[in-house]
Amino acid sequence: MTATASPKPDVIVIGGGLHGCSAALHLSMRGVRVLVLEKDHVARHASGVNAGGVRQLGRHVAEVPLTVASMALWHGIRDLVDDDCGFESHGQIKVAETEAELETVRARVAELGALGFTHEEVIGQDELRSLVPAIADHCVGALVSRGDGAAIPFRTTFAFRRKAIALGARFQEGGTVTRLARQGGMWTVETADGNRFEAPVVVNAAGAWADRIAAQVGEPVPLEVIAPMLMITARVAPFIKPVVGATGRTLSFKQFPNGTVLIGGGLLGRAVRDENRTELDFSQVSVNARTVWDLFPCMRGATIVRSWAGIEARMPDQIPVIGPSGTEPDLYHSFGFSAHGFQLGPIVGRITADLITAGSTDLPIAPFRIGRFAA
Amino acid sequence: MSPPKSNFDFDIAVVGAGPAGLAAAALAASKGASVVLLDEQVEPGGQIYRAVTETPVRDRKVLGPDYWHGAELLGPLRDSGAVHWSGTTVWSVARPREDAPDGSRPIQIGLSRNGAASMLTVRHVILATGALERPFPIPGWTLPGVLGAGAAQVLLKTSGLVPSGATVMAGSGPLLWLLAWQYLQAGARIDAILDTTPKQNWRAALPMLPGFLRSPYLGKGMKLMLDVRRKLTVIGNVTALRAEGGLAGGGTLKSVVYTRNGTEHRLPADTLLLHQGVIPNLNLANATGCAQRWDEQQRCWRPTTDEWGATSVEGVSLAGDGAGIGGARAAEEAGRLAALDALHRLGRIGREQRDQSAAPVRAALDRALTGRAFLDTLYTPAEAFRVPADDTIVCRCEEITAGAVREAVRLGCSGPNQAKSFLRCGMGPCQGRLCGPTVTEVIAAERNVSPAEVGYYRLRPPVKPITLAELAALPKTDADIDAVFKH
Ligand SMILES: Cc1cc2nc3c(=O)[nH]c(=O)nc-3n(C[C@H](O)[C@H](O)[C@H](O)COP(=O)(O)OP(=O)(O)OC[C@H]3O[C@@H](n4cnc5c(N)ncnc54)[C@H](O)[C@@H]3O)c2cc1C
Ligand SMILES: Cc1cc2nc3c(=O)[nH]c(=O)nc-3n(C[C@H](O)[C@H](O)[C@H](O)COP(=O)(O)OP(=O)(O)OC[C@H]3O[C@@H](n4cnc5c(N)ncnc54)[C@H](O)[C@@H]3O)c2cc1C
């Protein structure tokens, strides 16, 4: 399959994760001809294997305007991509195990309130117990964001792809972009299998490999490759609706409608990105298991049937790179989501499309500029 | 012998105490390596020699002389000094860590024993995890009363149990005949054997017959089949099969419906034993990251190995049926080869010594494998039984039908891993053991490409379920380990 027969695209998107697919969708909705180049297959990496958490709760303040705007898109996800993506909104809860932790979450709500955001609230022990009856007795309260929820990652990314294709986008899988060069207002993009593609604009949505694309245009970034781990249990009787995290330790805990329980929360294995491979670290997985043991006594006898890790990019300040390149015109970045980029997928694609088609966006993206790492 | 640094530190771990593992552990330990043999069964012996020291079936005639050969492997193991941890489930084998401070590249093994999980550190692993029955997905195979012939044999070997009531066996392959014979010896009732071996397989296998005529199994196999045919009703050329329950869409098994020469027949049955050969149990090797390839002749995935059983992962080798089906005697010899190579890699014997010791073992291995190609070709299951029709369940854990898999292919799923993400098939407690080969073949057939091209599940530890409690209590230091895990 070669692209030569088809008309030249207006934009080449590198990377078929949720961010690449979302950019492709939003651009296609505006009549822009898009070609997505993906080295493996769509949703093969972080976007297909993540925990599916759709969370505004507890985000870095710089991300709050984006997360709120993205949440609005999530609540209308079927209108956007013609598929509900398995999205369910039963809220997300961050449990406080001590009075001191409760104090921290109160300060958080105050900080957000001062910025004009009201989606996070503090709840006391009684309401926590009614929302999460299975929570351990020692928990004193929590921070909640009632509009949050979870979706099915692979299905979501595929839905974005399907809709983009329906609107005219093309996807080429199985070709690694190896070279990027710009001449006379045109980008030439070469893949390892010997194909060449041309377009006036390029989007770098290459996830954990995005630093290599940036380096091609003289724009090195301090991207760290990480391997967040997840595990899943055999089915247990339904007992919890919201997604639960913790304040003092890392946790992401949710039950699927089929009864299986997903346990994760930022603990890391090892990533070997050149081989698309991760190694689990069971001493870390066991830390996660210990947290669940403490917070959900009813889960102590549960059986773990599977665990895995995905490859993701993390930036030193834990927030992504979004926006135009600092060295080349007509190149846009969207990567480095630091293990919480799934929820941002719908909006960041729109922002990228805004930047490309209108030259600006109405959301504050200055904190995410790539130039912030320059010495 | 190099003294282990702790009770959780060995030169070599052998996973699986069947013929391959027993031979490997005994040989490696006899040459001075510290060896731990891990097996989830309470007794050594693997599938073929299952419960050989304990079986209540004391009449030697019932299980046959091949079974009792297993006992001969136990003496050398005992004398070798290898440590045998029975009742130990291995759920993870990690590749050597590149970043160990002393450059030792240790391999960590996750295991559960006596309800506690722990990690073991070794320098070499020999996986001898044996075979699994090939899935045999027919309509109704999930009904109570329908089970694998291998599972039934386990009950016979370990508990002396045979089915009661009307019993039908169906499928093809040597093991089906062996079990029928063992049941006959045990005085069990078998109403009929429905032989699904495709007629045309005979034509394909014929050119390989000369090899088979020299096989050590020929005489035994023929005698056994003749014996069974004389005493039982064997119905050949069965091309379609269905299990029916007493209630519409369910209940327990009431009858078996089969098609022969285009006509449907019905047999009442309380038990239906299904079997269409065995395939390598590669879950642990796959989850460890060992490269694997599609074996067109045996129609299964098998890990890629060199002539010593070494895999693509440093420090991990394979022996026995887990590397490709070769039978018990071949497994034993392959275990010895893997042990010799491991000893060489650990610097305990030189290359020359390894090669010299290996020569007679290799000759024995070749003898044991003589005639294998004939059996593999003759007993290749029919396409209809490998690639079932739409309404047949393929993934039992998640109740996913072949039709759902085909639908996913039409939605853009190109391989088993995408089907997994789409449908959750292969995501249940069995981790794809029961559906993997079928899902591969269904997708390949639907896309009209070879199974090699569609690939197989990427599996992940734990390859056997463990409890949250076990994992939460995973000891962190050697002292913790010794405290919870006395042996
Ligand atoms: C285990 C885990 C759990 C997580 N849980 C959550 C959660 O609950 N909630 C949440 O919001 N976020 C979560 N995340 C984070 C989220 O998954 C990621 O932030 C998000 O998916 C990133 O999307 P992406 O498109 O940037 O990257 P990816 O999905 O990794 O996509 C990048 C793609 O680019 C391709 N590519 C790379 N280089 C090239 C090249 N040279 N040529 C062609 N293609 C190339 C890759 O093959 C890849 O498919 C989790 C992540 C992991 C790993
Ligand atoms: C159900 C069944 C019955 C069979 N019966 C016969 C027979 O009667 N006669 C015959 O000639 N052939 C039989 N075979 C074929 C046969 O298994 C062999 O040819 C022979 O046993 C192969 O020896 P092996 O050492 O490779 O593996 P096996 O003998 O199968 O030994 C593998 C061992 O590994 C252990 N193991 C596997 N995974 C793990 C793990 N994760 N943790 C701990 N332990 C593990 C198992 O408990 C088992 O004891 C049978 C196969 C099956 C599947």
Side-chain angles (χ1 to χ4, degrees):
Chain A
M1 202 199 310
T2 56
T4 42
S6 339
K8 273 206 181 110
D10 303 316
V11 177
I12 289 176
V13 175
I14 303 171
L18 180 58
H19 285 276
C21 292
S22 177
L25 169 66
H26 286 282
L27 286 164
S28 302
M29 287 184 347
R30 298 170 197 195
V32 176
R33 281 177 311 209
V34 184
L35 170 66
V36 179
L37 300 176
E38 163 56 51
K39 70 180 171 65
D40 298 307
H41 61 76
V42 165
R44 163 71 175 85
H45 292 291
S47 300
V49 303
N50 64 59
V54 177
R55 165 177 71 80
Q56 307 172 89
L57 186 67
R59 290 210 172 241
H60 191 291
V61 283
E63 286 182 347
V64 170
L66 273 59
T67 198
V68 170
S70 209
M71 210 65 210
L73 293 180
W74 275 107
H75 280 276
I77 200 74
R78 185 179 272 289
D79 299 330
L80 186 63
V81 296
D82 302 337
D83 189 304
D84 69 13
C85 301
F87 175 62
E88 289 191 352
S89 174
H90 300 292
Q92 289 224 12
I93 294 181
K94 223 168 143 88
V95 174
E97 294 180 73
T98 62
E99 280 304 329
E101 287 177 10
L102 202 55
E103 229 9 83
T104 323
V105 301
R106 284 199 190 100
R108 160 85 183 172
V109 169
E111 184 189 11
L112 285 184
L115 295 168
F117 295 104
T118 55
H119 57 279
E120 293 183 17
E121 312 162 32
V122 177
I123 57 173
Q125 205 165 27
D126 292 346
E127 188 168 7
L128 170 60
R129 207 128 290 143
S130 74
L131 288 174
V132 189
I135 199 77
D137 289 342
H138 73 276
C139 298
V140 290
L143 187 63
V144 300
S145 174
R146 298 182 200 266
D148 291 5
I152 300 174
F154 191 87
R155 179 161 162 194
T156 303
T157 309
F158 255 56
F160 274 77
R161 172 176 99 149
R162 258 201 318 278
K163 183 72 181 279
I165 289 175
L167 294 172
R170 285 183 299 132
F171 281 73
Q172 175 114 1
E173 295 172 307
T176 307
V177 172
T178 48
R179 231 175 74 81
L180 199 63
R182 188 164 182 276
Q183 211 176 27
M186 236 346 156
W187 285 102
T188 306
V189 179
E190 289 175 22
T191 53
D193 51 9
N195 282 319
R196 288 165 74 102
F197 304 90
E198 286 190 341
V201 177
V202 166
V203 175
N204 172 17
W209 297 262
D211 56 334
R212 294 183 175 170
I213 304 294
Q216 285 275 329
V217 296
E219 199 162 37
V221 282
L223 177 156
E224 186 195 357
V225 181
I226 57 170
M229 299 185 287
L230 293 173
M231 59 185 154
I232 198 149
T233 71
R235 294 169 194 211
V236 294
F239 72 97
I240 185 170
K241 288 279 192 188
V243 180
V244 177
T247 308
R249 20 187 176 177
T250 64
L251 177 70
S252 157
F253 182 93
K254 67 166 286 217
Q255 186 172 34
F256 287 102
N258 73 356
T260 57
V261 177
L262 183 71
I263 301 169
L267 290 166
L268 303 179
R270 291 187 299 281
V272 188
R273 69 168 162 171
D274 287 330
E275 296 173 31
N276 280 351
R277 175 164 72 76
T278 56
E279 293 282 335
L280 297 166
D281 180 343
F282 277 95
S283 61
Q284 290 291 301
V285 172
S286 83
V287 170
N288 234 202
R290 180 80 225 180
T291 303
V292 173
W293 169 281
D294 289 342
L295 291 181
F296 293 99
C298 65
M299 288 295 293
R300 292 180 182 180
T303 304
I304 309 294
V305 296
R306 211 154 28 85
S307 62
W308 69 94
I311 301 181
E312 160 78 316
R314 180 165 75 186
M315 307 313 294
D317 52 7
Q318 315 274 338
I319 57 174
V321 173
I322 303 168
S325 156
T327 56
E328 289 284 341
D330 301 326
L331 173 67
Y332 298 86
H333 297 294
S334 169
F335 65 84
F337 290 90
S338 308
H340 49 261
F342 182 66
Q343 192 269 351
L344 293 176
I347 197 64
V348 176
R350 205 203 80 198
I351 292 172
T352 303
D354 286 345
L355 294 172
I356 292 171
T357 60
S360 67
T361 174
D362 56 353
L363 284 158
I365 57 165
F368 311 112
R369 70 193 185 285
I370 190 165
R372 71 185 190 272
F373 304 112
Chain B
M1 182 184 297
S2 54
K5 277 187 251 137
S6 78
N7 292 333
F8 286 80
D9 193 273
F10 293 88
D11 291 332
I12 299 176
V14 178
V15 184
L22 290 170
L27 176 56
S30 73
K31 299 277 192 245
S34 61
V35 176
V36 62
L37 174 62
L38 309 165
D39 195 295
E40 58 192 342
Q41 308 301 327
V42 181
E43 292 298 322
Q47 290 297 1
I48 173 158
Y49 311 129
R50 190 178 269 264
V52 70
T53 51
E54 290 284 288
T55 180
V57 186
R58 296 325 289 182
D59 178 354
R60 290 192 161 232
K61 269 203 337 286
V62 172
L63 294 167
D66 284 348
Y67 176 72
W68 295 100
H69 168 73
E72 293 165 23
L73 292 171
L74 300 179
L77 179 76
R78 247 185 325 264
D79 299 342
S80 71
V83 176
H84 176 203
W85 287 354
S86 61
T88 302
T89 298
V90 174
W91 44 263
S92 143
V93 172
R95 295 167 180 251
R97 274 195 81 139
E98 292 96 5
D99 52 355
D102 56 354
S104 59
R105 303 179 70 74
I107 295 173
Q108 292 244 295
I109 297 181
L111 51 85
S112 290
R113 190 177 179 221
N114 304 331
S118 60
M119 306 298 291
L120 193 67
T121 304
V122 302
R123 271 153 296 286
H124 195 98
V125 184
I126 297 174
L127 300 176
T129 51
L132 294 171
E133 284 193 290
R134 184 194 295 277
F136 196 159
I138 59 166
W141 71 315
T142 54
L143 291 176
V146 184
L147 68 161
Q153 194 198 33
V154 169
L155 293 175
L156 173 64
K157 288 176 183 170
T158 55
S159 318
L161 288 177
V162 296
S164 52
T167 301
V168 174
M169 298 179 74
S172 80
L175 212 58
L176 191 72
W177 295 97
L178 174 64
L179 180 61
W181 184 83
Q182 289 174 337
Y183 274 168
L184 279 176
Q185 303 299 304
R189 163 178 172 185
I190 300 171
D191 294 72
I193 297 182
L194 303 174
D195 189 349
T196 61
T197 310
K199 242 195 300 201
Q200 61 275 21
N201 281 12
W202 280 101
R203 212 171 316 125
L206 220 52
M208 295 150 207
L209 188 60
F212 183 64
L213 294 179
R214 284 183 278 113
S215 156
Y217 301 112
L218 174 67
K220 272 182 273 184
M222 292 299 277
K223 187 180 161 303
L224 191 144
M225 278 177 81
L226 285 174
D227 239 23
V228 171
R229 286 191 175 274
R230 227 181 4 250
K231 294 180 187 145
L232 287 179
T233 313
V234 178
I235 299 166
N237 298 329
V238 169
T239 53
L241 208 52
R242 188 168 83 233
E244 287 183 344
L247 308 168
T252 57
L253 179 72
K254 278 285 168 301
S255 52
V256 179
V257 182
Y258 66 93
T259 304
R260 179 171 199 259
N261 301 332
T263 315
E264 228 178 60
H265 306 267
R266 180 175 268 99
L267 280 174
D270 301 301
T271 303
L272 170 62
L273 303 177
L274 293 172
H275 178 83
Q276 52 177 353
V278 296
I279 55 174
N281 172 10
L282 48 64
N283 280 30
L284 197 50
N286 178 317
T288 304
C290 299
Q292 56 195 31
R293 65 182 178 88
W294 173 256
D295 182 328
E296 186 60 34
Q297 189 174 43
Q298 295 189 348
R299 290 208 82 82
C300 61
W301 292 95
R302 60 193 287 182
T304 317
T305 56
D306 70 6
E307 54 176 359
W308 301 98
T311 68
S312 64
V313 174
E314 180 195 327
V316 177
S317 39
L318 278 163
D321 275 2
I325 304 305
R329 288 302 176 106
E332 195 180 317
E333 306 304 344
R336 296 193 175 105
L337 291 178
L340 287 170
D341 191 48
L343 288 165
H344 170 58
R345 285 168 188 258
L346 294 172
R348 294 197 163 260
I349 59 173
R351 178 178 292 268
E352 214 164 294
Q353 194 187 345
R354 176 194 70 173
D355 294 353
Q356 257 168 26
S357 313
V361 182
R362 242 178 241 297
L365 176 62
D366 288 346
R367 262 196 313 281
L369 288 174
T370 309
R372 200 74 224 173
F374 174 80
L375 290 179
D376 289 344
T377 309
L378 178 61
Y379 291 122
T380 303
E383 169 131 3
F385 296 121
R386 289 184 282 107
V387 188
D390 277 354
D391 53 357
T392 307
I393 286 177
V394 296
C395 167
R396 302 177 65 132
C397 300
E398 300 289 331
E399 300 192 355
I400 308 296
T401 62
V405 174
R406 292 193 175 97
E407 174 64 25
V409 171
R410 289 192 282 274
L411 284 175
C413 271
S414 55
N417 287 302
Q418 285 159 293
K420 190 159 105 173
S421 307
F422 240 99
L423 298 170
R424 308 188 45 80
C425 66
M427 304 261 262
C430 95
Q431 285 248 10
R433 267 185 289 272
L434 284 166
C435 66
T438 311
V439 168
T440 290
E441 293 231 45
V442 168
I443 295 176
E446 186 66 14
R447 287 185 51 205
N448 203 13
V449 297
S450 81
E453 191 171 324
V454 308
Y456 193 66
Y457 292 138
R458 275 189 305 280
L459 302 176
R460 290 303 210 145
V463 297
K464 301 270 174 134
I466 50 173
T467 65
L468 186 97
E470 282 177 292
L471 203 50
L474 194 67
K476 308 295 182 294
T477 67
D478 275 357
D480 293 343
I481 293 170
D482 285 343
V484 297
F485 196 96
K486 299 225 168 49
H487 59 272

